[in-house]
Amino acid sequence: MHINRYEKTWIYVTGVLTAVMVGVLTFYAIANNIHPPSNVETIDSASLHLTAEFAEENLGVKTNADGSVTVTLVGARYGFYPRRIEVPANTPLKFRMASFDVLHGVHVPGTNVATMVVPGYVSEVNTVIPTPGEYTLFCNEYCGLGHDQMWSRMVVVDNGSAPQ
Amino acid sequence: MRKLTIPFAVGGALLFSTAAAEPSSEVAWTPDTYRFAQSGDAANGKKIAVEVCDECHGAGGVSEEDDFPNIAGQLETYLYKQLVDFKSGKRKNRKMRRRVKDLNEQELADLSAWYAQLPAEPQGPEAPGHELVTRGDPKRMITSCNACHGADAKGADLDVPMLKGQPADLFVEMMENFRDGSRANDVYGRMRQAAEALSDEEIEALARYYAGLPVQ
């Protein structure tokens, strides 16, 4: 089969570019330990409020025995509950989130917290936030008429611990 | 006598904390519950209504007094959840509890079916709308009313009520109940939180707006 010289050159160029880009992504994914949240755990979203972990009074921030912090959140139209949480900076945080109704997504600009909150599953994100300040939890999966108003507040407080 | 005070106080506090730790509603909208709540027999509901409900809520689900909510045309699934919550005490109201405690779940579903198909009536003169209805106030974390209750305030599946057809005073009372927590059967406090964020003037304006909305 005859392929024109110029055509052949461009095929090589695109091939090389693709290989370089995949290489860059792979390198940084491995070097920075970036990976999608991979927890697979099922839960009945309809009766979420009747479970122990996601009962209304058990939501929020809890400090574990080893000093790490677990944040339990429920995504429900239209907010992440509790609507305001306070977490320490430079401390391992584990977010455990579940949806009470439809598909939600949580995205916290300025941090690497971003995951889908799928009905029927518990989403988990582990992170450390080094910079104290006010952060916003946005819903980034269209979930209904109030989607654009679905947000909650996270305050990261400096507790004096060293950067990790 | 005095020595007993502390154990009693501790016991009381423990009792209270267990009570507070309960879920805000026992109703879980599983597909089975959803189907059941919509399967009521309106004809049987009417029979029960004559004996149990009409006295306060009126023969057609529209009360003659402003103290009682109008339930004609209200969402079937919403009515069912409220009735179950009254029965279980999750929504605290002695009058209602006394009347529903001997009814079984099928009878509650029948009542819901009966009232859901009755026509609602506007309860006041038309009043201007409010920015909170359509836009909410994101800075105060107030979602617009329409987002949940629908653009026509008709309510939405599963347990978001229709807001039209209620006397303005009753709307205000409901919001105050949410605000002070005496009504707390909204799962995850979604209405409690909205009510806490609203000012008295805003609640008043919303009450007049919804009371004056045409129902058809």
Side-chain angles (χ1 to χ4, degrees):
Chain A
M1 185 176 72
H2 173 74
I3 299 176
N4 183 288
R5 215 179 95 221
Y6 293 116
E7 206 171 349
K8 213 183 242 174
T9 314
W10 281 111
I11 290 172
Y12 284 131
V13 170
T14 19
V16 169
L17 277 176
T18 311
V20 168
M21 281 180 208
V22 171
V24 167
L25 288 176
T26 313
F27 172 76
Y28 281 106
I30 293 168
N32 295 340
N33 195 19
I34 297 169
H35 47 83
S38 55
N39 184 50
V40 178
E41 191 182 329
T42 55
I43 195 161
D44 179 14
S45 279
S47 43
L48 200 62
H49 61 299
L50 303 178
T51 63
E53 183 177 9
F54 292 97
E56 201 173 311
E57 70 282 353
N58 287 339
L59 301 181
V61 182
K62 284 188 202 75
T63 309
N64 305 315
D66 61 357
S68 69
V69 166
T70 304
V71 184
T72 315
L73 291 174
V74 165
R77 289 186 292 182
Y78 293 98
F80 297 99
Y81 296 87
R83 296 297 294 266
R84 190 179 188 283
I85 52 169
E86 216 174 271
V87 295
N90 297 313
T91 307
L93 304 175
K94 175 184 282 212
F95 288 87
R96 285 181 56 80
M97 294 169 285
S99 165
F100 182 55
D101 36 46
V102 298
L103 176 67
H104 298 287
V106 60
H107 169 51
V108 190
T111 74
N112 66 347
V113 177
T115 185
M116 283 166 94
V117 186
V118 185
Y121 292 88
V122 178
S123 304
E124 224 178 75
V125 176
N126 292 291
T127 190
V128 173
I129 302 172
T131 320
E134 288 207 343
Y135 292 82
T136 309
L137 285 80
F138 285 107
C139 181
N140 67 356
E141 292 287 345
Y142 182 73
C143 59
L145 279 177
H147 166 68
D148 59 319
Q149 298 158 12
M150 180 163 171
W151 67 281
S152 292
R153 176 69 83 198
M154 176 168 74
V155 181
V156 179
V157 261
D158 187 0
N159 62 348
S161 58
Q164 302 228 340
Chain B
M1 200 55 203
R2 212 189 160 115
K3 274 184 190 161
L4 281 174
T5 323
I6 293 173
F8 270 119
V10 172
L14 275 177
L15 261 179
F16 183 76
S17 61
T18 353
E22 285 178 1
S24 33
S25 175
E26 301 285 354
V27 178
W29 287 115
T30 57
D32 286 343
T33 316
Y34 183 53
R35 274 191 288 271
F36 181 75
Q38 291 188 308
S39 68
D41 171 11
N44 190 45
K46 185 183 180 182
K47 281 183 209 152
I48 307 166
V50 171
E51 287 179 25
V52 187
C53 320
D54 285 5
E55 192 189 330
C56 298
H57 290 288
V62 179
S63 174
E64 283 168 21
E65 293 169 57
D66 280 1
D67 295 350
F68 303 108
N70 299 327
I71 45 181
Q74 187 52 275
L75 222 70
E76 195 170 4
T77 40
Y78 173 76
L79 288 173
Y80 177 76
K81 177 178 181 289
Q82 300 308 311
L83 288 169
V84 173
D85 285 351
F86 280 129
K87 190 176 168 172
S88 65
K90 293 298 176 191
R91 183 168 169 187
K92 290 179 179 40
N93 186 312
R94 275 166 54 204
K95 274 187 202 163
M96 279 303 293
R97 189 169 192 181
R98 208 167 57 230
R99 283 181 167 75
V100 299
K101 71 178 191 324
D102 295 329
L103 299 177
N104 62 34
E105 291 189 353
Q106 183 60 56
E107 289 169 320
L108 299 183
D110 294 348
L111 279 176
S112 309
W114 164 242
Y115 284 110
Q117 49 85 43
L118 291 173
E121 285 175 18
Q123 294 296 310
E126 278 192 39
H130 197 284
E131 202 177 27
L132 290 170
V133 173
T134 46
R135 298 178 60 90
D137 185 354
K139 279 188 185 152
R140 289 189 288 157
M141 287 189 187
I142 301 171
T143 310
S144 65
C145 311
N146 281 359
C148 296
H149 293 275
D152 49 7
K154 241 180 172 171
D157 285 347
L158 302 157
D159 50 14
V160 182
M162 173 176 81
L163 297 176
K164 300 188 282 193
Q166 297 299 340
D169 287 351
L170 201 106
F171 182 99
V172 173
E173 190 188 320
M174 288 298 156
M175 293 298 273
E176 282 170 352
N177 290 348
F178 276 124
R179 184 149 69 179
D180 65 25
S182 54
R183 178 170 175 189
N185 69 328
D186 56 325
V187 177
Y188 296 123
R190 287 174 288 176
M191 268 316 292
R192 273 168 282 166
Q193 192 233 327
E196 275 167 30
L198 292 170
S199 71
D200 289 344
E201 293 74 35
E202 286 166 339
I203 291 177
E204 189 65 40
L206 291 173
R208 281 199 305 273
Y209 169 68
Y210 284 117
L213 272 189
V215 288
Q216 293 309 328

